[in-house]
Amino acid sequence: MKKADMEAHQAQYKKLINKARTAEREGLYTQTVELELASWDYVDGMMLYERKYNNNDFSSIWGIDLILKYAPLLLDFPSLDKLEGLLKSCRRIEKNTSECLAEKLSEARSFLHTSHRLWNHIENNPETRQDQIRKKLGGQQKQWDSIAEKWEQMGLLQRTPENGSYRLSLSTRLGQLIVGKCSSCGEITEAPKAMLLEKVTCPQCNNTAWFVITSTKIDANIKG
């Protein structure tokens, strides 16, 4: 890759990251993830430029860190699959970072499944008490508390104080109609959120594919 190409990649990466940071500050978490995903097209060139011309080393990559942070909380399976594909197709990314991204990805997948268990439990048991979650689902109460607190901060969960704990209720439900885009052909469709968390058959191209959640309704809900 020529210097001009690397420099262009660096500039485009920074542009997308700045937009993602703005979206995060505004509480638009789905949009934050989408912008981070778009930045991956320029990660390799950006890293080459920074290492060669700015003598910069990387402990991690911001455009990857935010995916690892928010995808599990948004129950976003496809974004973690895309990260796995990125690390396999461009091994230089992990080679040139001090953190083990493959290990962090594995932890994020585990955290996503844990988050999914809690979401399903709250949806199936409205007004769940937070201090009773461990008795129902096992695991560590501190982790359940942490997930609940983060969802509250994101506007996904309501925590109503009650006798030293909280009653939990979802601000958005997996049965809610949302908008998703087929990762195979780009077809836009509306379906229950739960349906779009797994691969489904696209009505346009008939491929079994992930649908990327793009609904502005979700962002408005999250933003509160």
Side-chain angles (χ1 to χ4, degrees), residues 14-34:
K14 287 186 175 180
K15 180 180 178 180
L16 289 165
I17 291 300
N18 287 335
K19 287 183 177 180
R21 286 172 170 164
T22 298
E24 183 186 22
R25 287 194 298 269
E26 294 178 352
L28 302 175
Y29 300 105
T30 302
Q31 184 177 340
T32 300
V33 168
E34 290 173 354

mmCIF file of all heavy atoms in Angstrom, residues 14-34:
data_model
loop_
_atom_site.group_PDB
_atom_site.id
_atom_site.type_symbol
_atom_site.label_atom_id
_atom_site.label_comp_id
_atom_site.label_asym_id
_atom_site.label_seq_id
_atom_site.Cartn_x
_atom_site.Cartn_y
_atom_site.Cartn_z
ATOM 1 N N LYS A 14 -10.286 7.936 11.118
ATOM 2 C CA LYS A 14 -10.481 8.937 12.162
ATOM 3 C C LYS A 14 -11.826 9.634 12.020
ATOM 4 O O LYS A 14 -12.502 9.938 13.016
ATOM 5 C CB LYS A 14 -9.346 9.956 12.126
ATOM 6 C CG LYS A 14 -8.021 9.416 12.643
ATOM 7 C CD LYS A 14 -6.964 10.512 12.715
ATOM 8 C CE LYS A 14 -5.687 9.992 13.356
ATOM 9 N NZ LYS A 14 -4.646 11.052 13.438
ATOM 10 N N LYS A 15 -12.239 9.889 10.787
ATOM 11 C CA LYS A 15 -13.527 10.535 10.532
ATOM 12 C C LYS A 15 -14.676 9.688 11.074
ATOM 13 O O LYS A 15 -15.583 10.188 11.750
ATOM 14 C CB LYS A 15 -13.700 10.778 9.037
ATOM 15 C CG LYS A 15 -15.006 11.438 8.647
ATOM 16 C CD LYS A 15 -15.080 11.633 7.129
ATOM 17 C CE LYS A 15 -16.414 12.255 6.715
ATOM 18 N NZ LYS A 15 -16.481 12.446 5.237
ATOM 19 N N LEU A 16 -14.632 8.393 10.785
ATOM 20 C CA LEU A 16 -15.693 7.488 11.250
ATOM 21 C C LEU A 16 -15.659 7.317 12.767
ATOM 22 O O LEU A 16 -16.706 7.252 13.410
ATOM 23 C CB LEU A 16 -15.567 6.132 10.545
ATOM 24 C CG LEU A 16 -15.934 6.133 9.060
ATOM 25 C CD1 LEU A 16 -15.439 4.862 8.375
ATOM 26 C CD2 LEU A 16 -17.439 6.278 8.883
ATOM 27 N N ILE A 17 -14.456 7.252 13.335
ATOM 28 C CA ILE A 17 -14.335 7.101 14.782
ATOM 29 C C ILE A 17 -14.890 8.330 15.492
ATOM 30 O O ILE A 17 -15.578 8.224 16.518
ATOM 31 C CB ILE A 17 -12.867 6.862 15.190
ATOM 32 C CG1 ILE A 17 -12.406 5.483 14.724
ATOM 33 C CG2 ILE A 17 -12.705 6.987 16.702
ATOM 34 C CD1 ILE A 17 -13.201 4.329 15.285
ATOM 35 N N ASN A 18 -14.614 9.509 14.963
ATOM 36 C CA ASN A 18 -15.148 10.733 15.568
ATOM 37 C C ASN A 18 -16.671 10.749 15.518
ATOM 38 O O ASN A 18 -17.339 11.165 16.472
ATOM 39 C CB ASN A 18 -14.582 11.960 14.857
ATOM 40 C CG ASN A 18 -13.122 12.213 15.197
ATOM 41 O OD1 ASN A 18 -12.652 11.799 16.255
ATOM 42 N ND2 ASN A 18 -12.400 12.877 14.313
ATOM 43 N N LYS A 19 -17.240 10.276 14.413
ATOM 44 C CA LYS A 19 -18.697 10.185 14.305
ATOM 45 C C LYS A 19 -19.246 9.173 15.313
ATOM 46 O O LYS A 19 -20.301 9.397 15.919
ATOM 47 C CB LYS A 19 -19.100 9.782 12.888
ATOM 48 C CG LYS A 19 -18.924 10.871 11.847
ATOM 49 C CD LYS A 19 -19.427 10.408 10.491
ATOM 50 C CE LYS A 19 -19.335 11.519 9.456
ATOM 51 N NZ LYS A 19 -19.833 11.078 8.122
ATOM 52 N N ALA A 20 -18.523 8.067 15.476
ATOM 53 C CA ALA A 20 -18.953 7.043 16.428
ATOM 54 C C ALA A 20 -18.920 7.576 17.856
ATOM 55 O O ALA A 20 -19.824 7.289 18.654
ATOM 56 C CB ALA A 20 -18.065 5.804 16.304
ATOM 57 N N ARG A 21 -17.908 8.344 18.195
ATOM 58 C CA ARG A 21 -17.815 8.923 19.542
ATOM 59 C C ARG A 21 -18.961 9.895 19.790
ATOM 60 O O ARG A 21 -19.526 9.947 20.891
ATOM 61 C CB ARG A 21 -16.475 9.628 19.704
ATOM 62 C CG ARG A 21 -15.302 8.668 19.872
ATOM 63 C CD ARG A 21 -13.979 9.390 19.830
ATOM 64 N NE ARG A 21 -12.881 8.506 20.226
ATOM 65 C CZ ARG A 21 -11.600 8.758 19.992
ATOM 66 N NH1 ARG A 21 -11.262 9.867 19.359
ATOM 67 N NH2 ARG A 21 -10.668 7.914 20.373
ATOM 68 N N THR A 22 -19.323 10.659 18.756
ATOM 69 C CA THR A 22 -20.451 11.578 18.880
ATOM 70 C C THR A 22 -21.744 10.807 19.095
ATOM 71 O O THR A 22 -22.561 11.152 19.959
ATOM 72 C CB THR A 22 -20.571 12.460 17.624
ATOM 73 O OG1 THR A 22 -19.389 13.248 17.489
ATOM 74 C CG2 THR A 22 -21.773 13.384 17.714
ATOM 75 N N ALA A 23 -21.935 9.735 18.311
ATOM 76 C CA ALA A 23 -23.137 8.911 18.457
ATOM 77 C C ALA A 23 -23.213 8.290 19.839
ATOM 78 O O ALA A 23 -24.281 8.226 20.455
ATOM 79 C CB ALA A 23 -23.154 7.820 17.383
ATOM 80 N N GLU A 24 -22.070 7.852 20.371
ATOM 81 C CA GLU A 24 -22.035 7.255 21.708
ATOM 82 C C GLU A 24 -22.435 8.283 22.756
ATOM 83 O O GLU A 24 -23.233 7.984 23.655
ATOM 84 C CB GLU A 24 -20.645 6.707 22.007
ATOM 85 C CG GLU A 24 -20.554 6.017 23.356
ATOM 86 C CD GLU A 24 -19.139 5.598 23.712
ATOM 87 O OE1 GLU A 24 -18.181 6.186 23.155
ATOM 88 O OE2 GLU A 24 -18.982 4.702 24.553
ATOM 89 N N ARG A 25 -21.898 9.496 22.651
ATOM 90 C CA ARG A 25 -22.246 10.543 23.615
ATOM 91 C C ARG A 25 -23.732 10.884 23.566
ATOM 92 O O ARG A 25 -24.330 11.230 24.591
ATOM 93 C CB ARG A 25 -21.419 11.811 23.339
ATOM 94 C CG ARG A 25 -19.955 11.707 23.737
ATOM 95 C CD ARG A 25 -19.302 13.073 23.766
ATOM 96 N NE ARG A 25 -19.325 13.711 22.454
ATOM 97 C CZ ARG A 25 -18.366 13.601 21.551
ATOM 98 N NH1 ARG A 25 -17.309 12.850 21.802
ATOM 99 N NH2 ARG A 25 -18.452 14.248 20.398
ATOM 100 N N GLU A 26 -24.329 10.769 22.393
ATOM 101 C CA GLU A 26 -25.745 11.092 22.231
ATOM 102 C C GLU A 26 -26.650 9.913 22.586
ATOM 103 O O GLU A 26 -27.876 10.024 22.525
ATOM 104 C CB GLU A 26 -26.009 11.543 20.803
ATOM 105 C CG GLU A 26 -25.331 12.868 20.449
ATOM 106 C CD GLU A 26 -25.551 13.277 19.007
ATOM 107 O OE1 GLU A 26 -26.096 12.458 18.230
ATOM 108 O OE2 GLU A 26 -25.171 14.413 18.651
ATOM 109 N N GLY A 27 -26.053 8.777 22.946
ATOM 110 C CA GLY A 27 -26.848 7.613 23.320
ATOM 111 C C GLY A 27 -27.371 6.816 22.145
ATOM 112 O O GLY A 27 -28.274 5.990 22.307
ATOM 113 N N LEU A 28 -26.804 7.027 20.952
ATOM 114 C CA LEU A 28 -27.244 6.290 19.766
ATOM 115 C C LEU A 28 -26.333 5.076 19.588
ATOM 116 O O LEU A 28 -25.439 5.050 18.745
ATOM 117 C CB LEU A 28 -27.199 7.204 18.539
ATOM 118 C CG LEU A 28 -28.044 8.476 18.644
ATOM 119 C CD1 LEU A 28 -27.837 9.361 17.431
ATOM 120 C CD2 LEU A 28 -29.523 8.124 18.784
ATOM 121 N N TYR A 29 -26.586 4.045 20.372
ATOM 122 C CA TYR A 29 -25.644 2.937 20.453
ATOM 123 C C TYR A 29 -25.653 2.050 19.215
ATOM 124 O O TYR A 29 -24.606 1.521 18.819
ATOM 125 C CB TYR A 29 -25.931 2.128 21.717
ATOM 126 C CG TYR A 29 -25.790 2.960 22.966
ATOM 127 C CD1 TYR A 29 -26.907 3.399 23.656
ATOM 128 C CD2 TYR A 29 -24.540 3.347 23.424
ATOM 129 C CE1 TYR A 29 -26.785 4.191 24.788
ATOM 130 C CE2 TYR A 29 -24.404 4.145 24.553
ATOM 131 C CZ TYR A 29 -25.526 4.563 25.227
ATOM 132 O OH TYR A 29 -25.393 5.369 26.337
ATOM 133 N N THR A 30 -26.813 1.863 18.602
ATOM 134 C CA THR A 30 -26.850 1.088 17.366
ATOM 135 C C THR A 30 -26.054 1.792 16.284
ATOM 136 O O THR A 30 -25.299 1.167 15.533
ATOM 137 C CB THR A 30 -28.305 0.881 16.897
ATOM 138 O OG1 THR A 30 -29.046 0.235 17.922
ATOM 139 C CG2 THR A 30 -28.356 0.018 15.646
ATOM 140 N N GLN A 31 -26.210 3.107 16.184
ATOM 141 C CA GLN A 31 -25.455 3.881 15.197
ATOM 142 C C GLN A 31 -23.964 3.849 15.512
ATOM 143 O O GLN A 31 -23.132 3.781 14.601
ATOM 144 C CB GLN A 31 -25.948 5.327 15.166
ATOM 145 C CG GLN A 31 -25.278 6.179 14.096
ATOM 146 C CD GLN A 31 -25.836 7.586 14.055
ATOM 147 O OE1 GLN A 31 -26.919 7.872 14.516
ATOM 148 N NE2 GLN A 31 -25.056 8.500 13.498
ATOM 149 N N THR A 32 -23.611 3.860 16.787
ATOM 150 C CA THR A 32 -22.209 3.758 17.182
ATOM 151 C C THR A 32 -21.587 2.485 16.632
ATOM 152 O O THR A 32 -20.494 2.509 16.042
ATOM 153 C CB THR A 32 -22.081 3.764 18.718
ATOM 154 O OG1 THR A 32 -22.613 4.985 19.234
ATOM 155 C CG2 THR A 32 -20.633 3.621 19.157
ATOM 156 N N VAL A 33 -22.296 1.375 16.797
ATOM 157 C CA VAL A 33 -21.795 0.088 16.307
ATOM 158 C C VAL A 33 -21.662 0.106 14.791
ATOM 159 O O VAL A 33 -20.663 -0.372 14.228
ATOM 160 C CB VAL A 33 -22.722 -1.053 16.767
ATOM 161 C CG1 VAL A 33 -22.386 -2.349 16.042
ATOM 162 C CG2 VAL A 33 -22.603 -1.258 18.269
ATOM 163 N N GLU A 34 -22.640 0.660 14.089
ATOM 164 C CA GLU A 34 -22.591 0.698 12.630
ATOM 165 C C GLU A 34 -21.387 1.498 12.135
ATOM 166 O O GLU A 34 -20.715 1.109 11.171
ATOM 167 C CB GLU A 34 -23.885 1.300 12.082
ATOM 168 C CG GLU A 34 -25.094 0.402 12.260
ATOM 169 C CD GLU A 34 -26.399 1.085 11.859
ATOM 170 O OE1 GLU A 34 -26.355 2.298 11.545
ATOM 171 O OE2 GLU A 34 -27.425 0.403 11.842
#
